[in-house]
Amino acid sequence: MNDQTLTPEERAASLKGMGSSRKRVEDVRFTQGKGNYVDDIKLDGMLFGDFVRSPYAHARVKSVNKEAALALPGVIAVLTAEDLSPLGLHWMPTLAGDKQMVLADGKVLFQGQEVAYVVAEDRYIAADAVELVEVDYEELPVLTDPFEALKSDVVLREDLEGQTEGAHGPRKHHNHIFTWEQGDKEATEAILAEADVVAEEMVYYHRTHPCPLETCGCVASMDKVTGKLTLYGTFQAPHAIRTVVSLISGIAEHNIRVISPDIGGGFGNKVGAYAGYVCSVVASIVTGQPVKWVEDRMENLMSTAFARDYWMQGKIAATKDGKITGLWCHTTADHGGFDACADPTKFPAGFMNICTGSYDIPTAYLAVDGVYTNKAPGGVAYRCSFRVTEAAYFIERMIEVLAIKLNMDAAELRRINFIKADQFPYQSALGWEYDSGDYHTAWDKALKAVDYEGLRAEQSQRIEDFKAGKTRKLLGIGLTHFTEIVGAGPVKNCDILGLGMFDSCEIRIHPTGSAIARLGTISQGQGHATTFAQIIASEIGLPADDITLEEGDTDTAPYGLGTYGSRSTPVAGAATAMAARKIRAKAQMIAAYLLEVHDNDVEWDVDRFAVKGAPERFKTMKEIAFAAYNQAIPGLEPGLEAVSYYDPPNMTYPFGAYICVMEIDVDTGEWDVRQFYALDDCGTRINPMIIEGQVHGGVTEALAIAMGQEIAYDEMGNVKTATLMDFFIPTAWETPNYTTDHTVTPSPHHPIGAKGVGESPNVGGVPAFSNAVHDAFRPFGLVQSHMPHDHWRIWKIANGLGMHG
Amino acid sequence: MIPAGFEYHRPGDIASAIGILQEYGDEARVIAGGHSLIPMMKLRMAEMGHLVDLQAINELKGVNVGADTVTLGAMVTQHELITHDGLGSAIPLIREAALQIADPQVRYAGTIGGNVANGDPGNDMPGLMQCLNATFELSGPDGTRSVAAREFYEAAYFTAREDEEILTRITIPVPGAGVGQAYEKQKRKIGDYATAAAAVMLGNGQASVAMTNLADTPVWSESASAALADGDVDGCVAAMLDAIDPVADNRGPVEFKKHVAAVMLRRAIARAQSRAS
Ligand SMILES: Cc1cc2nc3c(=O)[nH]c(=O)nc-3n(C[C@H](O)[C@H](O)[C@H](O)COP(=O)(O)OP(=O)(O)OC[C@H]3O[C@@H](n4cnc5c(N)ncnc54)[C@H](O)[C@@H]3O)c2cc1C
């Protein structure tokens, strides 16, 4: 077919640009087992590292005896804090302004903490040697409850003794980390004092874990000849890791190359820096050989970053007809033994101050106290922007609690409090400027799609049947309208370790009209190679199939802050569009030259520049690309490439309406999700199929979290859920069918109007499932009950409400 | 998750397998499907110098469905229990229970012998075998002996089997025509052991009930069975609740487990009744 016979629409469709459900290009290798993950990397002479870990949650380490381990043939070295301290590497800085032991320095603060690092010629020998290292521990009293910790005489962090000032202000107690306050305390308390109605509740979002399919790991390879360190790893932020490694090791940054190969899921777990990385680098420097370290599942669940663990005391004030007048929240945040929470520097509780949610709440106050306990450090954004899931869960529970207090329908209570479409950009009481939204439209669409009134009628009938002894199953309708804040973020207020949270894209057009683009982000399943090529395709009119996308190699990709917090599309996606526009601007000049008209006399038409008023006279992008390399064009440099570093003017605020219909067996606590409807508004939709996939995956994680997944400790600080037998990962059997839907409210400040979607389903899903459980029992008097809603906890609700006779 | 080193043996007949066990004593352990043993080895909770693989021993294989008894070789996989036609019609309860064990991958490898010899209170087959009044055949240096499933379990991971004995086959009386059977299991997800499970057989004036994962051994209760045979469901449940002794764990506290045990038992009884004629 000749180009000229195609309509503009047909030409646009053939590009597979934005809006196309283009198949994921990554899947060709993944579905054939041809991915290249860290553990697939094998280098000549590679050694293997493995950790001796503490069986105790709090203990003094009196001695470490390496002799028997070193005597085992094949063991090269056993590192302890003593070996690392001359290098100053026995501790490392955390992302939260605290420091963390790399190897136990005199004591351990959580079960599974790294005590010694064994290096051996073989993975099996390393595991055997771990058993042979003798550690003499003296057990200390264990604190697993943050409220207790704040009262206890037991000092967890002796290294901080006497330090009354932390990275985020004064410390009130030796186990206290920080207090973070937002909003207007006095005004909020005044409103609470005078309100018609105040609902008050403790909302606990339990500790859980991102548990990516691939655990954390790295291969460190120091080339003693070139002086260059190559570090392969499961890094969600490879460039930041390079800078951090340089700063803490003293190796010049140009001598460090960090490579994130294929990553088998991150969900926040792979943002931070771990002892395994530091020890592997040291071991490679010392031995001059590459050293591989890969966690096993139990190590991943016990020691690398957890998520949530927020105790959120809430008060919400309203008029008697349901108009919310104020919101108050005090959060006790359990950070474990070290504050290694992954948040932008100025936000020790992340963006928890998005907790006014989708509602026009004029006055609000939030305080967060961070606390040390004998649990693993972390506090990452598990498939959410920093602490946004906690915030969404909090407000969506408080709305339900208020509805109970007001004896109102929770859907209606939401509707009368939504920020209205004409209020955007909306200034929230806790300091954010919401970019765009149309909550009423989304809400009405969702309620209609599930026949909300019909469901309520069915539920009333069910309650009658239950009371009449005709059924033992209840019906719960879980509602959620969430608003996220993603795309961190503006360099003026967002940085990590001093690195501004911009992101980047570099595009090179090849002479024959194909291209390569490199970004500062790194895909872990999000499908960047598919979607970012689509952005470029739409912007410059080359087929997405002809655009290669590369990320994760710091020697080739432009600097960027990585992928987490739904920031790739809002930030790197914007950089991609901006870089493409620079290319298009140059292409316009080339086209004008070739067509022998003035620059302003050509106009863009899908995949070409055409002379205004004479559309039959045009140069396609392919022709322009070739000309860029074979013609001497006056006033223009040869070549066609561009780079953009994008500092977003604001965050983006995706939102959505989720509804879950759940059946609950009051005798066994078993649940069954009968229906799950997810409406997402992520602004401009780049690839609807990928969005749907992200929603399916994220809602499934939300199901897991709400209905059973937790990192639980006993009073000795032992992790009770360190294997997948006890840590709930749903199988296909437990996973419900989902109905996805959307509205489109573009972001006004983003070059293509996109907002990010990868995390919305986790953020919105958790309250939808939890609210369904609560809603089922609401008619029988339940107000609040903590997640996870596994069988016995649901049974306990029923039991507490006298349902077992 | 890396086991300690071991020597691997693959004998071709029962006698040589026993010989290896005799030679190495408690240093040796047999391995069947490995789906209970290997996880323990990887956790280094089971360490042994010698692993004796039973896969090459043909004498341990095969399902034999007779008029009065069914014989299962120890190495019959759980998958075979599900797909064997004759077995499905002779004793449908076995298939119903096997389908609720783990997931297809585990069932392709996991064996009936391993499941009953393991001694883990979480295993489903031991309670089922007690309900069905099966007999286990054990071969050792001193020959062969039979032990009733109802006599086999002593405590968690402790059974009547001696270290140098191999469980070779299981004989199960075929329940009479008209006997209703049901297996009811509550679990947290696919691939999980029971929170509580009940195996029930009843009909022709007789009944047998056993429960799983509610004590350190499977629980078959004579008085509960007798009560049910008399048609006294409440008495059966009360007797069973007396016999079980659950402990609190991640699946829930004791009072929850007792409640769920009663629910499972009642549901199994109701289903078995509906199937009895
Ligand atoms: C994820 C997962 C979920 C599971 N869920 C369930 C479940 O819900 N219900 C359930 O019942 N089981 C469950 N299992 C266990 C599974 O059914 C095992 O396969 C079974 O318990 C053991 O059988 P095996 O052939 O794998 O034995 P192995 O693991 O090889 O052996 C188990 C033990 O029995 C001994 N042994 C094996 N065969 C003999 C023999 N012939 N004579 C003497 N000793 C012998 C071994 O020495 C060992 O001590 C699960 C397993 C996994 C991995």
Side-chain angles (χ1 to χ4, degrees), chain A residues 123-124 127-128 131 296 298 665 667-668 670 720 724-728 731 733-734 791-792 795 804, chain B residues 1-2 4 43-44 47 186-193 250-253 255-256 259 263-264 267:
Chain A
R123 180 68 188 88
Y124 289 78
D128 287 344
E131 303 276 293
D296 66 29
M298 288 180 76
D665 182 330
D667 292 322
T668 62
E670 289 168 303
K720 297 199 292 178
L724 296 189
M725 187 57 87
D726 288 309
F727 185 83
F728 178 41
T731 69
W733 192 267
E734 289 82 30
H791 294 166
W792 79 262
W795 174 87
H804 297 139
Chain B
M1 293 291 180
I2 290 193
L43 292 168
R44 297 200 175 211
E47 284 190 37
Q186 178 167 348
K187 53 182 187 270
R188 295 171 298 181
K189 61 169 177 183
I190 289 296
D192 192 20
Y193 293 93
N250 288 335
R251 293 184 181 81
E255 47 165 356
F256 164 70
H259 185 101
V263 175
M264 290 301 113
R267 288 184 185 174

Side-chain angles (χ1 to χ4, degrees), chain B residues 180-182 202 267-277:
Chain B
Q181 313 167 16
L202 80 114
R267 288 184 185 174
I269 291 170
R271 261 225 325 283
Q273 266 166 350
S274 75
R275 290 167 175 173
S277 53

Side-chain angles (χ1 to χ4, degrees), chain A residues 79-382:
Chain A
L79 301 178
T80 62
E82 235 170 79
D83 302 308
L84 297 182
S85 78
L87 308 167
L89 290 177
H90 54 320
W91 287 73
M92 63 179 173
T94 71
L95 297 179
D98 193 4
K99 58 187 170 128
Q100 173 177 0
M101 289 178 212
V102 172
L103 292 172
D105 185 19
K107 74 185 290 193
V108 287
L109 287 161
F110 63 95
Q111 188 185 47
Q113 188 178 329
E114 299 82 355
V115 175
Y117 184 74
V118 172
V119 186
E121 284 169 3
D122 171 293
R123 180 68 188 88
Y124 289 78
I125 296 172
D128 287 344
V130 163
E131 303 276 293
L132 296 173
V133 176
E134 291 160 25
V135 185
D136 188 9
Y137 296 98
E138 178 191 312
E139 286 184 71
L140 295 169
V142 172
L143 298 173
T144 56
D145 177 320
F147 299 98
E148 283 298 310
L150 281 180
K151 286 185 268 172
S152 172
D153 293 339
V154 177
V155 180
L156 298 180
R157 291 290 298 276
E158 286 155 348
D159 60 295
L160 300 179
E161 207 146 22
Q163 279 189 32
T164 52
E165 198 67 23
H168 307 285
R171 297 173 64 217
K172 293 189 279 210
H173 179 267
H174 51 251
N175 296 327
H176 178 254
I177 311 172
F178 64 82
T179 302
W180 190 59
E181 283 183 284
Q182 297 288 301
D184 191 333
K185 183 168 191 243
E186 268 176 39
T188 309
E189 284 174 355
I191 282 169
L192 289 168
E194 283 159 24
D196 292 353
V197 178
V198 175
E200 180 169 358
E201 211 46 71
M202 172 64 93
V203 178
Y204 178 47
Y205 197 146
H206 60 289
R207 180 175 279 235
T208 182
H209 194 282
C211 193
L213 188 55
E214 177 203 32
T215 59
C216 298
C218 70
V219 179
S221 179
M222 182 73 197
D223 183 330
K224 290 213 162 165
V225 178
T226 61
K228 192 152 178 158
L229 171 72
T230 306
L231 181 60
Y232 305 85
T234 50
F235 309 130
Q236 289 183 239
H239 301 272
I241 289 278
R242 185 185 70 191
T243 303
V244 171
V245 171
S246 175
L247 290 174
I248 67 177
S249 70
I251 302 171
E253 200 166 354
H254 70 281
N255 276 332
I256 303 171
R257 179 180 185 188
V258 173
I259 299 176
S260 293
D262 284 331
I263 297 185
F267 313 115
N269 183 235
K270 295 167 179 170
V271 171
Y274 296 123
Y277 308 156
V278 178
C279 291
S280 304
V281 168
V282 171
S284 181
I285 292 172
V286 171
T287 61
Q289 281 168 275
V291 179
K292 179 187 275 187
W293 165 75
V294 178
E295 291 176 320
D296 66 29
R297 179 62 58 199
M298 288 180 76
E299 293 180 294
N300 180 253
L301 287 172
M302 286 172 73
S303 70
T304 43
F306 76 93
R308 328 295 192 226
D309 216 347
Y310 260 32
W311 292 90
M312 301 172 284
Q313 183 71 36
K315 297 177 199 172
I316 189 163
T319 63
K320 53 183 176 315
D321 30 327
K323 187 77 194 83
I324 301 170
T325 51
L327 180 71
W328 181 99
C329 177
H330 179 270
T331 296
T332 303
D334 185 338
H335 283 229
F338 307 94
D339 186 12
C341 198
D343 290 313
T345 307
K346 298 189 191 87
F347 297 88
F351 304 152
M352 174 70 191
N353 53 334
I354 192 72
C355 65
T356 51
S358 309
Y359 311 101
D360 184 11
I361 304 180
T363 310
Y365 170 70
L366 165 71
V368 182
D369 278 301
V371 185
Y372 290 122
T373 60
N374 289 119
K375 299 185 190 168
V380 292
Y382 170 5

Side-chain angles (χ1 to χ4, degrees), chain B residues 14 32-33 54-55 57-65 69-81 84 87 94 109-117 125 129 135-138 166-172:
Chain B
I14 296 173
L54 303 180
Q55 295 289 350
I57 305 178
N58 284 328
E59 302 159 77
L60 296 177
K61 296 181 181 164
V63 175
N64 195 314
V65 181
T69 53
V70 160
T71 312
L72 304 172
M75 291 301 286
V76 168
T77 64
Q78 295 161 19
H79 174 73
E80 287 174 83
L81 296 179
H84 192 280
L87 183 61
I94 294 179
T111 65
I112 176 80
N115 199 304
V116 300
M125 287 298 170
M129 292 300 138
T135 305
F136 302 153
E137 192 179 289
L138 303 167
I166 292 173
L167 194 151
T168 51
R169 61 181 60 80
I170 299 167
T171 341
I172 309 166

Side-chain angles (χ1 to χ4, degrees), chain B residues 214-260:
Chain B
L214 293 162
D216 68 347
T217 61
V219 179
W220 176 78
S221 161
E222 190 165 5
S223 47
S225 302
L228 185 58
D230 289 345
D232 176 8
V233 173
D234 288 340
C236 168
V237 172
M240 186 51 97
L241 286 180
D242 244 14
I244 62 173
D245 184 17
V247 291
D249 59 18
N250 288 335
R251 293 184 181 81
V254 170
E255 47 165 356
F256 164 70
K257 291 194 172 181
K258 286 192 167 166
H259 185 101
V260 163

Side-chain angles (χ1 to χ4, degrees), chain A residues 379-448:
Chain A
V380 292
Y382 170 5
R383 202 170 186 148
C384 74
S385 191
F386 313 98
R387 302 294 188 181
V388 170
T389 309
E390 289 89 329
Y393 184 63
F394 170 73
I395 184 65
E396 289 302 299
R397 281 301 313 141
M398 290 310 292
I399 291 282
E400 296 281 322
V401 168
L402 179 62
I404 293 170
K405 189 106 188 178
L406 289 163
N407 196 21
M408 242 178 110
D409 175 71
E412 185 56 21
L413 179 60
R414 283 180 173 84
R415 186 201 314 276
I416 62 177
N417 285 289
F418 282 144
I419 301 163
K420 295 185 191 68
D422 61 14
Q423 287 178 279
F424 292 92
Y426 172 82
Q427 209 64 46
S428 83
L430 292 176
W432 297 114
E433 186 185 298
Y434 292 27
D435 59 349
S436 63
D438 183 352
Y439 302 161
H440 286 95
T441 300
W443 195 237
D444 291 343
K445 189 173 182 183
L447 296 181
K448 192 157 174 263

